[in-house]
Amino acid sequence: MRERATFALAQMTVAEQPELNLKKMEEQMREARERFRAELILFPETCMAEFSRGMTREDRYALAETRDGNFVRAVRELAARYEIWTVFGFYERAETPDSENRSYNSVLVLDDAGELRAHYRKTHLYDAFGYRESDDYLRGDCLFAPIESPFGKLGLFVCYELRFPEVARAERAAGAEILLMPSAWVKGDLKSEHFSTLLKARAVENTCYLLAANQYSKIRMGESAAVDPMGVVIANAGEGERVVPVYLEAARLREVRKKLPSFEDRRGELY
């Protein structure tokens, strides 16, 4: 991991129209670069568009795009213009004949030239708390493979996958130092407590930085946050739309991993 890096969490209210979200993303990318000199900006899950309750599965599928679609091309242009690594969620059109008008809940990682560095399809869908994400989306078939970056090795998972410790552990086992989590965490009883508790748990048990960018709306919680490898919250967006800087230091990662070598102390032969 590089000695110091500055990232930005982009907490946003997502509109139904992708063009409105692109405008908002550009504003937040500009702020991240000009105000905080951020080198990477993390946007929420599915920040391409918010689906209204009245939309059918067919309506939603019609809005989805391939990785060469207009929305993705526009974000790539913005990443290059502002020279910032960009991580964002979009609805990826499934080209398979058995998709049944379902798309993928996908995330792309772009570098500061707008080049595609990684692509991930959410594997664990939110079939919980009375909602069935699998009714509208297909599951990805493999976890994210951590990638090298100028800042360190980046891991990634999406929203509901925070509740599965195996996902974050697989990222750590593959060398991740910084975990990124786009999310659209829904408000509800104990949901805020679950979110903050699980962020800290995943960071501590894997001795990684963990950054989460969440949507904010009448039903989305906000509270985007960053946690250091010892479980200390180092950034929190609270409510509302805003860009929050996150300052990462390799010395802190080294210090914690030396003091708390729990990953190395695993007894793999027992489980």
Side-chain angles (χ1 to χ4, degrees):
M1 182 176 170
R2 202 175 70 194
E3 285 305 313
R4 290 182 177 81
T6 303
F7 287 7
L9 303 176
Q11 183 163 288
M12 61 184 285
T13 300
V14 178
E16 292 183 16
Q17 301 84 3
E19 60 272 17
L20 296 181
N21 297 318
L22 276 171
K23 182 178 180 181
K24 189 172 293 185
M25 291 173 73
E26 179 176 7
E27 293 170 354
Q28 292 186 313
M29 291 164 86
R30 183 188 302 115
E31 180 179 1
R33 286 296 286 157
E34 294 180 358
R35 183 178 178 188
F36 301 118
R37 300 184 182 277
E39 300 164 279
L40 181 149
I41 186 166
L42 176 63
F43 285 100
E45 176 186 18
T46 59
C47 63
M48 175 182 175
E50 172 70 6
F51 289 151
S52 67
R53 290 183 177 274
M55 294 178 73
T56 66
R57 181 191 293 180
E58 289 73 21
D59 292 334
R60 299 179 181 199
Y61 185 74
L63 189 63
E65 297 184 358
T66 67
R67 281 177 281 173
D68 296 322
N70 293 333
F71 183 81
V72 173
R73 287 201 302 270
V75 179
R76 291 183 62 176
E77 291 172 4
L78 291 175
R81 181 187 310 167
Y82 292 102
E83 299 181 319
I84 187 168
W85 280 62
T86 303
V87 183
F88 68 100
F90 79 111
Y91 301 106
E92 183 185 2
R93 181 179 292 273
E95 302 294 348
T96 56
D98 60 347
S99 66
E100 298 179 332
N101 288 319
R102 290 180 295 170
S103 56
Y104 290 103
N105 182 339
S106 296
V107 175
L108 295 181
V109 180
L110 310 176
D111 66 18
D112 55 3
E115 296 298 320
L116 178 62
R117 288 298 191 96
H119 166 232
Y120 176 62
R121 292 169 172 167
K122 187 177 180 182
T123 55
H124 297 67
L125 300 183
Y126 183 62
D127 288 357
F129 292 97
Y131 184 79
R132 285 189 55 80
E133 191 177 13
S134 61
D135 286 345
D136 295 311
Y137 304 100
L138 297 169
R139 290 180 172 84
D141 58 9
C142 61
L143 297 180
F144 184 84
I147 62 169
E148 297 289 350
S149 79
F151 329 106
K153 201 157 189 179
L154 305 177
L156 184 146
F157 50 86
V158 179
C159 200
Y160 185 51
E161 295 176 324
L162 179 65
R163 294 183 180 275
F164 299 86
E166 301 89 347
V167 176
R169 178 48 55 91
E171 301 292 292
R172 171 69 164 94
E177 298 166 310
I178 304 165
L179 299 172
L180 305 175
M181 191 185 83
S183 71
W185 204 268
V186 178
K187 294 178 180 178
D189 292 343
L190 296 176
K191 295 295 290 297
S192 177
E193 287 82 358
H194 288 189
F195 189 71
S196 60
T197 298
L198 292 170
L199 285 177
K200 293 175 183 177
R202 298 294 90 85
V204 169
E205 67 197 9
N206 294 297
T207 52
C208 287
Y209 281 102
L210 175 52
L211 285 66
N214 200 27
Q215 290 189 31
Y216 175 77
S217 68
K218 290 181 179 179
I219 64 169
R220 312 290 184 187
M221 191 179 66
E223 300 182 28
S224 302
V227 182
D228 84 356
M230 192 59 90
V232 178
V233 177
I234 56 175
N236 193 311
E239 297 184 343
E241 294 187 274
R242 55 179 47 89
V243 176
V244 177
V246 181
Y247 304 105
L248 310 176
E249 298 198 5
R252 177 61 167 170
L253 186 72
R254 290 194 298 268
E255 172 195 9
V256 172
R257 288 188 173 183
K258 181 178 180 181
K259 182 184 299 184
L260 179 61
S262 57
F263 181 82
E264 290 74 18
D265 289 342
R266 290 171 304 137
R267 291 284 308 278
E269 73 276 14
L270 301 180
Y271 41 81

